[in-house]
mmCIF file of all heavy atoms in Angstrom:
data_model
loop_
_atom_site.group_PDB
_atom_site.id
_atom_site.type_symbol
_atom_site.label_atom_id
_atom_site.label_comp_id
_atom_site.label_asym_id
_atom_site.label_seq_id
_atom_site.Cartn_x
_atom_site.Cartn_y
_atom_site.Cartn_z
ATOM 1 N N LEU A 1226 -26.171 -20.221 -13.521
ATOM 2 C CA LEU A 1226 -26.431 -21.605 -13.894
ATOM 3 C C LEU A 1226 -26.958 -21.685 -15.317
ATOM 4 O O LEU A 1226 -27.709 -20.819 -15.761
ATOM 5 C CB LEU A 1226 -27.451 -22.222 -12.937
ATOM 6 C CG LEU A 1226 -27.056 -22.242 -11.466
ATOM 7 C CD1 LEU A 1226 -28.222 -22.720 -10.613
ATOM 8 C CD2 LEU A 1226 -25.853 -23.113 -11.245
ATOM 9 N N SER A 1227 -26.588 -22.737 -15.991
ATOM 10 C CA SER A 1227 -27.086 -22.956 -17.342
ATOM 11 C C SER A 1227 -28.549 -23.388 -17.272
ATOM 12 O O SER A 1227 -29.004 -23.923 -16.249
ATOM 13 C CB SER A 1227 -26.269 -24.038 -18.038
ATOM 14 O OG SER A 1227 -26.540 -25.303 -17.453
ATOM 15 N N PRO A 1228 -29.308 -23.194 -18.340
ATOM 16 C CA PRO A 1228 -30.713 -23.631 -18.349
ATOM 17 C C PRO A 1228 -30.861 -25.125 -18.045
ATOM 18 O O PRO A 1228 -31.826 -25.534 -17.407
ATOM 19 C CB PRO A 1228 -31.172 -23.305 -19.767
ATOM 20 C CG PRO A 1228 -30.274 -22.193 -20.215
ATOM 21 C CD PRO A 1228 -28.949 -22.483 -19.564
ATOM 22 N N GLU A 1229 -29.900 -25.929 -18.500
ATOM 23 C CA GLU A 1229 -29.970 -27.370 -18.239
ATOM 24 C C GLU A 1229 -29.875 -27.665 -16.744
ATOM 25 O O GLU A 1229 -30.603 -28.495 -16.218
ATOM 26 C CB GLU A 1229 -28.850 -28.119 -18.991
ATOM 27 C CG GLU A 1229 -28.949 -28.039 -20.489
ATOM 28 C CD GLU A 1229 -28.359 -26.751 -21.073
ATOM 29 O OE1 GLU A 1229 -27.586 -26.051 -20.378
ATOM 30 O OE2 GLU A 1229 -28.702 -26.441 -22.221
ATOM 31 N N VAL A 1230 -28.970 -26.978 -16.066
ATOM 32 C CA VAL A 1230 -28.802 -27.184 -14.622
ATOM 33 C C VAL A 1230 -30.044 -26.694 -13.890
ATOM 34 O O VAL A 1230 -30.539 -27.352 -12.966
ATOM 35 C CB VAL A 1230 -27.534 -26.480 -14.105
ATOM 36 C CG1 VAL A 1230 -27.469 -26.508 -12.591
ATOM 37 C CG2 VAL A 1230 -26.296 -27.133 -14.704
ATOM 38 N N ILE A 1231 -30.575 -25.560 -14.299
ATOM 39 C CA ILE A 1231 -31.779 -25.031 -13.659
ATOM 40 C C ILE A 1231 -32.928 -26.017 -13.792
ATOM 41 O O ILE A 1231 -33.636 -26.311 -12.822
ATOM 42 C CB ILE A 1231 -32.157 -23.661 -14.255
ATOM 43 C CG1 ILE A 1231 -31.104 -22.624 -13.855
ATOM 44 C CG2 ILE A 1231 -33.554 -23.236 -13.802
ATOM 45 C CD1 ILE A 1231 -31.234 -21.303 -14.567
ATOM 46 N N GLU A 1232 -33.123 -26.564 -14.974
ATOM 47 C CA GLU A 1232 -34.205 -27.523 -15.189
ATOM 48 C C GLU A 1232 -33.991 -28.777 -14.342
ATOM 49 O O GLU A 1232 -34.933 -29.298 -13.748
ATOM 50 C CB GLU A 1232 -34.302 -27.905 -16.664
ATOM 51 C CG GLU A 1232 -35.493 -28.771 -16.985
ATOM 52 C CD GLU A 1232 -36.829 -28.177 -16.591
ATOM 53 O OE1 GLU A 1232 -36.990 -26.933 -16.667
ATOM 54 O OE2 GLU A 1232 -37.733 -28.924 -16.192
ATOM 55 N N SER A 1233 -32.754 -29.218 -14.255
ATOM 56 C CA SER A 1233 -32.443 -30.378 -13.430
ATOM 57 C C SER A 1233 -32.801 -30.107 -11.970
ATOM 58 O O SER A 1233 -33.379 -30.956 -11.294
ATOM 59 C CB SER A 1233 -30.963 -30.733 -13.563
ATOM 60 O OG SER A 1233 -30.612 -31.731 -12.658
ATOM 61 N N LEU A 1234 -32.469 -28.911 -11.483
ATOM 62 C CA LEU A 1234 -32.776 -28.565 -10.095
ATOM 63 C C LEU A 1234 -34.280 -28.446 -9.860
ATOM 64 O O LEU A 1234 -34.767 -28.738 -8.777
ATOM 65 C CB LEU A 1234 -32.063 -27.271 -9.715
ATOM 66 C CG LEU A 1234 -30.544 -27.391 -9.617
ATOM 67 C CD1 LEU A 1234 -29.920 -26.008 -9.483
ATOM 68 C CD2 LEU A 1234 -30.149 -28.276 -8.465
ATOM 69 N N ARG A 1235 -35.018 -28.007 -10.869
ATOM 70 C CA ARG A 1235 -36.480 -27.925 -10.726
ATOM 71 C C ARG A 1235 -37.080 -29.295 -10.489
ATOM 72 O O ARG A 1235 -38.119 -29.418 -9.837
ATOM 73 C CB ARG A 1235 -37.098 -27.322 -11.987
ATOM 74 C CG ARG A 1235 -36.937 -25.856 -12.107
ATOM 75 C CD ARG A 1235 -37.641 -25.369 -13.346
ATOM 76 N NE ARG A 1235 -37.510 -23.946 -13.475
ATOM 77 C CZ ARG A 1235 -37.571 -23.295 -14.618
ATOM 78 N NH1 ARG A 1235 -37.770 -23.942 -15.742
ATOM 79 N NH2 ARG A 1235 -37.458 -21.991 -14.642
ATOM 80 N N GLN A 1236 -36.439 -30.304 -11.034
ATOM 81 C CA GLN A 1236 -36.950 -31.665 -10.895
ATOM 82 C C GLN A 1236 -36.672 -32.245 -9.519
ATOM 83 O O GLN A 1236 -37.313 -33.217 -9.120
ATOM 84 C CB GLN A 1236 -36.337 -32.575 -11.976
ATOM 85 C CG GLN A 1236 -36.581 -32.114 -13.396
ATOM 86 C CD GLN A 1236 -38.049 -31.943 -13.725
ATOM 87 O OE1 GLN A 1236 -38.872 -32.769 -13.335
ATOM 88 N NE2 GLN A 1236 -38.392 -30.874 -14.420
ATOM 89 N N GLU A 1237 -35.726 -31.679 -8.808
ATOM 90 C CA GLU A 1237 -35.394 -32.175 -7.479
ATOM 91 C C GLU A 1237 -36.428 -31.703 -6.465
ATOM 92 O O GLU A 1237 -37.092 -30.700 -6.653
ATOM 93 C CB GLU A 1237 -34.005 -31.689 -7.065
ATOM 94 C CG GLU A 1237 -32.898 -32.276 -7.921
ATOM 95 C CD GLU A 1237 -31.526 -31.780 -7.517
ATOM 96 O OE1 GLU A 1237 -31.384 -31.213 -6.417
ATOM 97 O OE2 GLU A 1237 -30.601 -31.967 -8.321
ATOM 98 N N SER A 1238 -36.514 -32.403 -5.355
ATOM 99 C CA SER A 1238 -37.540 -32.105 -4.357
ATOM 100 C C SER A 1238 -37.381 -30.728 -3.721
ATOM 101 O O SER A 1238 -38.362 -30.104 -3.344
ATOM 102 C CB SER A 1238 -37.554 -33.183 -3.275
ATOM 103 O OG SER A 1238 -36.308 -33.214 -2.620
ATOM 104 N N ASP A 1239 -36.138 -30.240 -3.585
ATOM 105 C CA ASP A 1239 -35.962 -28.942 -2.929
ATOM 106 C C ASP A 1239 -36.037 -27.779 -3.912
ATOM 107 O O ASP A 1239 -35.881 -26.630 -3.528
ATOM 108 C CB ASP A 1239 -34.655 -28.891 -2.136
ATOM 109 C CG ASP A 1239 -33.413 -28.833 -3.018
ATOM 110 O OD1 ASP A 1239 -33.527 -28.928 -4.252
ATOM 111 O OD2 ASP A 1239 -32.319 -28.693 -2.455
ATOM 112 N N ARG A 1240 -36.273 -28.056 -5.181
ATOM 113 C CA ARG A 1240 -36.439 -27.053 -6.243
ATOM 114 C C ARG A 1240 -35.236 -26.110 -6.315
ATOM 115 O O ARG A 1240 -35.360 -24.954 -6.667
ATOM 116 C CB ARG A 1240 -37.724 -26.273 -6.061
ATOM 117 C CG ARG A 1240 -38.894 -27.220 -5.891
ATOM 118 C CD ARG A 1240 -40.220 -26.832 -6.396
ATOM 119 N NE ARG A 1240 -40.347 -25.937 -7.485
ATOM 120 C CZ ARG A 1240 -40.419 -26.296 -8.767
ATOM 121 N NH1 ARG A 1240 -40.286 -27.544 -9.108
ATOM 122 N NH2 ARG A 1240 -40.608 -25.404 -9.698
ATOM 123 N N GLY A 1241 -34.063 -26.603 -5.933
ATOM 124 C CA GLY A 1241 -32.845 -25.807 -6.014
ATOM 125 C C GLY A 1241 -32.565 -24.961 -4.797
ATOM 126 O O GLY A 1241 -31.596 -24.222 -4.771
ATOM 127 N N ALA A 1242 -33.390 -25.079 -3.755
ATOM 128 C CA ALA A 1242 -33.203 -24.247 -2.562
ATOM 129 C C ALA A 1242 -31.851 -24.494 -1.900
ATOM 130 O O ALA A 1242 -31.314 -23.608 -1.248
ATOM 131 C CB ALA A 1242 -34.324 -24.495 -1.561
ATOM 132 N N ALA A 1243 -31.289 -25.677 -2.092
ATOM 133 C CA ALA A 1243 -29.995 -25.980 -1.479
ATOM 134 C C ALA A 1243 -28.892 -25.093 -2.025
ATOM 135 O O ALA A 1243 -27.845 -24.962 -1.409
ATOM 136 C CB ALA A 1243 -29.640 -27.451 -1.699
ATOM 137 N N LEU A 1244 -29.120 -24.468 -3.177
ATOM 138 C CA LEU A 1244 -28.112 -23.598 -3.760
ATOM 139 C C LEU A 1244 -28.209 -22.157 -3.273
ATOM 140 O O LEU A 1244 -27.351 -21.352 -3.601
ATOM 141 C CB LEU A 1244 -28.201 -23.615 -5.288
ATOM 142 C CG LEU A 1244 -27.801 -24.923 -5.942
ATOM 143 C CD1 LEU A 1244 -27.938 -24.811 -7.448
ATOM 144 C CD2 LEU A 1244 -26.388 -25.310 -5.580
ATOM 145 N N ASP A 1245 -29.240 -21.822 -2.525
ATOM 146 C CA ASP A 1245 -29.352 -20.458 -2.007
ATOM 147 C C ASP A 1245 -28.135 -20.166 -1.141
ATOM 148 O O ASP A 1245 -27.728 -20.981 -0.314
ATOM 149 C CB ASP A 1245 -30.613 -20.283 -1.154
ATOM 150 C CG ASP A 1245 -31.874 -20.236 -1.990
ATOM 151 O OD1 ASP A 1245 -31.774 -20.129 -3.220
ATOM 152 O OD2 ASP A 1245 -32.960 -20.310 -1.386
ATOM 153 N N TRP A 1246 -27.580 -18.986 -1.317
ATOM 154 C CA TRP A 1246 -26.417 -18.587 -0.524
ATOM 155 C C TRP A 1246 -26.857 -18.348 0.905
ATOM 156 O O TRP A 1246 -27.838 -17.648 1.167
ATOM 157 C CB TRP A 1246 -25.787 -17.338 -1.133
ATOM 158 C CG TRP A 1246 -24.548 -16.913 -0.443
ATOM 159 C CD1 TRP A 1246 -23.383 -17.609 -0.338
ATOM 160 C CD2 TRP A 1246 -24.333 -15.692 0.246
ATOM 161 N NE1 TRP A 1246 -22.456 -16.889 0.365
ATOM 162 C CE2 TRP A 1246 -23.018 -15.707 0.740
ATOM 163 C CE3 TRP A 1246 -25.124 -14.577 0.495
ATOM 164 C CZ2 TRP A 1246 -22.478 -14.657 1.459
ATOM 165 C CZ3 TRP A 1246 -24.594 -13.535 1.208
ATOM 166 C CH2 TRP A 1246 -23.282 -13.578 1.680
ATOM 167 N N LYS A 1247 -26.142 -18.912 1.842
ATOM 168 C CA LYS A 1247 -26.525 -18.842 3.252
ATOM 169 C C LYS A 1247 -25.604 -17.946 4.072
ATOM 170 O O LYS A 1247 -25.549 -18.041 5.285
ATOM 171 C CB LYS A 1247 -26.588 -20.244 3.823
ATOM 172 C CG LYS A 1247 -27.700 -21.056 3.141
ATOM 173 C CD LYS A 1247 -27.732 -22.477 3.584
ATOM 174 C CE LYS A 1247 -28.846 -23.258 2.935
ATOM 175 N NZ LYS A 1247 -28.862 -23.245 1.496
ATOM 176 N N GLY A 1248 -24.872 -17.077 3.389
ATOM 177 C CA GLY A 1248 -24.101 -16.060 4.085
ATOM 178 C C GLY A 1248 -22.682 -16.415 4.469
ATOM 179 O O GLY A 1248 -22.014 -15.626 5.135
ATOM 180 N N LEU A 1249 -22.188 -17.580 4.082
ATOM 181 C CA LEU A 1249 -20.840 -17.966 4.454
ATOM 182 C C LEU A 1249 -19.833 -17.311 3.508
ATOM 183 O O LEU A 1249 -19.901 -17.464 2.294
ATOM 184 C CB LEU A 1249 -20.689 -19.485 4.413
ATOM 185 C CG LEU A 1249 -19.424 -20.055 5.035
ATOM 186 C CD1 LEU A 1249 -19.290 -19.653 6.499
ATOM 187 C CD2 LEU A 1249 -19.424 -21.574 4.907
ATOM 188 N N VAL A 1250 -18.898 -16.561 4.099
ATOM 189 C CA VAL A 1250 -17.896 -15.810 3.334
ATOM 190 C C VAL A 1250 -16.511 -16.344 3.672
ATOM 191 O O VAL A 1250 -16.186 -16.531 4.844
ATOM 192 C CB VAL A 1250 -17.952 -14.299 3.688
ATOM 193 C CG1 VAL A 1250 -16.873 -13.520 2.952
ATOM 194 C CG2 VAL A 1250 -19.331 -13.726 3.388
ATOM 195 N N LEU A 1251 -15.709 -16.578 2.644
ATOM 196 C CA LEU A 1251 -14.322 -17.009 2.813
ATOM 197 C C LEU A 1251 -13.419 -15.955 2.204
ATOM 198 O O LEU A 1251 -13.665 -15.509 1.079
ATOM 199 C CB LEU A 1251 -14.076 -18.344 2.103
ATOM 200 C CG LEU A 1251 -12.609 -18.786 1.963
ATOM 201 C CD1 LEU A 1251 -12.019 -19.142 3.323
ATOM 202 C CD2 LEU A 1251 -12.499 -19.958 1.001
ATOM 203 N N VAL A 1252 -12.397 -15.551 2.944
ATOM 204 C CA VAL A 1252 -11.379 -14.661 2.382
ATOM 205 C C VAL A 1252 -10.042 -15.377 2.417
ATOM 206 O O VAL A 1252 -9.772 -16.171 3.311
ATOM 207 C CB VAL A 1252 -11.278 -13.300 3.133
ATOM 208 C CG1 VAL A 1252 -12.545 -12.492 2.968
ATOM 209 C CG2 VAL A 1252 -10.929 -13.481 4.589
ATOM 210 N N HIS A 1253 -9.248 -15.105 1.402
ATOM 211 C CA HIS A 1253 -7.850 -15.535 1.381
ATOM 212 C C HIS A 1253 -7.079 -14.371 1.979
ATOM 213 O O HIS A 1253 -6.784 -13.397 1.298
ATOM 214 C CB HIS A 1253 -7.382 -15.796 -0.050
ATOM 215 C CG HIS A 1253 -8.003 -16.985 -0.687
ATOM 216 N ND1 HIS A 1253 -7.477 -17.561 -1.806
ATOM 217 C CD2 HIS A 1253 -9.090 -17.728 -0.363
ATOM 218 C CE1 HIS A 1253 -8.205 -18.596 -2.153
ATOM 219 N NE2 HIS A 1253 -9.195 -18.712 -1.294
ATOM 220 N N ALA A 1254 -6.803 -14.462 3.258
ATOM 221 C CA ALA A 1254 -6.165 -13.361 3.981
ATOM 222 C C ALA A 1254 -4.658 -13.546 4.010
ATOM 223 O O ALA A 1254 -4.164 -14.654 4.235
ATOM 224 C CB ALA A 1254 -6.691 -13.302 5.416
ATOM 225 N N GLN A 1255 -3.948 -12.461 3.786
ATOM 226 C CA GLN A 1255 -2.506 -12.535 3.962
ATOM 227 C C GLN A 1255 -2.241 -12.912 5.420
ATOM 228 O O GLN A 1255 -2.873 -12.379 6.338
ATOM 229 C CB GLN A 1255 -1.847 -11.206 3.615
ATOM 230 C CG GLN A 1255 -1.928 -10.866 2.154
ATOM 231 C CD GLN A 1255 -1.274 -9.537 1.836
ATOM 232 O OE1 GLN A 1255 -0.619 -8.920 2.671
ATOM 233 N NE2 GLN A 1255 -1.452 -9.084 0.605
ATOM 234 N N GLU A 1256 -1.331 -13.833 5.594
ATOM 235 C CA GLU A 1256 -1.057 -14.355 6.933
ATOM 236 C C GLU A 1256 -0.730 -13.246 7.931
ATOM 237 O O GLU A 1256 -1.158 -13.278 9.082
ATOM 238 C CB GLU A 1256 0.087 -15.362 6.864
ATOM 239 C CG GLU A 1256 0.266 -16.175 8.108
ATOM 240 C CD GLU A 1256 1.309 -17.256 7.962
ATOM 241 O OE1 GLU A 1256 2.233 -17.126 7.133
ATOM 242 O OE2 GLU A 1256 1.201 -18.238 8.712
ATOM 243 N N GLY A 1257 -0.029 -12.227 7.486
ATOM 244 C CA GLY A 1257 0.392 -11.149 8.371
ATOM 245 C C GLY A 1257 -0.691 -10.165 8.766
ATOM 246 O O GLY A 1257 -0.468 -9.341 9.656
ATOM 247 N N ILE A 1258 -1.866 -10.228 8.143
ATOM 248 C CA ILE A 1258 -2.915 -9.263 8.507
ATOM 249 C C ILE A 1258 -4.206 -9.947 8.959
ATOM 250 O O ILE A 1258 -5.302 -9.406 8.810
ATOM 251 C CB ILE A 1258 -3.202 -8.254 7.370
ATOM 252 C CG1 ILE A 1258 -3.681 -8.950 6.112
ATOM 253 C CG2 ILE A 1258 -1.997 -7.372 7.108
ATOM 254 C CD1 ILE A 1258 -4.284 -7.994 5.103
ATOM 255 N N GLN A 1259 -4.064 -11.130 9.560
ATOM 256 C CA GLN A 1259 -5.238 -11.815 10.098
ATOM 257 C C GLN A 1259 -5.953 -10.953 11.136
ATOM 258 O O GLN A 1259 -7.185 -10.991 11.247
ATOM 259 C CB GLN A 1259 -4.832 -13.143 10.725
ATOM 260 C CG GLN A 1259 -4.321 -14.145 9.710
ATOM 261 C CD GLN A 1259 -3.847 -15.400 10.375
ATOM 262 O OE1 GLN A 1259 -4.664 -16.162 10.893
ATOM 263 N NE2 GLN A 1259 -2.537 -15.623 10.384
ATOM 264 N N LYS A 1260 -5.205 -10.165 11.872
ATOM 265 C CA LYS A 1260 -5.788 -9.303 12.904
ATOM 266 C C LYS A 1260 -6.813 -8.338 12.289
ATOM 267 O O LYS A 1260 -7.872 -8.107 12.857
ATOM 268 C CB LYS A 1260 -4.675 -8.526 13.612
ATOM 269 C CG LYS A 1260 -5.144 -7.668 14.752
ATOM 270 C CD LYS A 1260 -3.957 -6.990 15.430
ATOM 271 C CE LYS A 1260 -4.422 -6.051 16.527
ATOM 272 N NZ LYS A 1260 -3.290 -5.378 17.177
#
Side-chain angles (χ1 to χ4, degrees):
L1226 301 173
S1227 70
E1229 296 83 17
V1230 171
I1231 292 170
E1232 186 57 34
S1233 173
L1234 291 170
R1235 284 183 179 154
Q1236 303 304 318
E1237 294 179 15
S1238 61
D1239 71 355
R1240 309 212 27 91
L1244 292 180
D1245 286 349
W1246 184 63
K1247 295 175 179 55
L1249 192 58
V1250 177
L1251 169 69
V1252 295
H1253 291 197
Q1255 292 180 8
E1256 192 174 26
I1258 61 166
Q1259 293 176 70
K1260 184 177 176 181

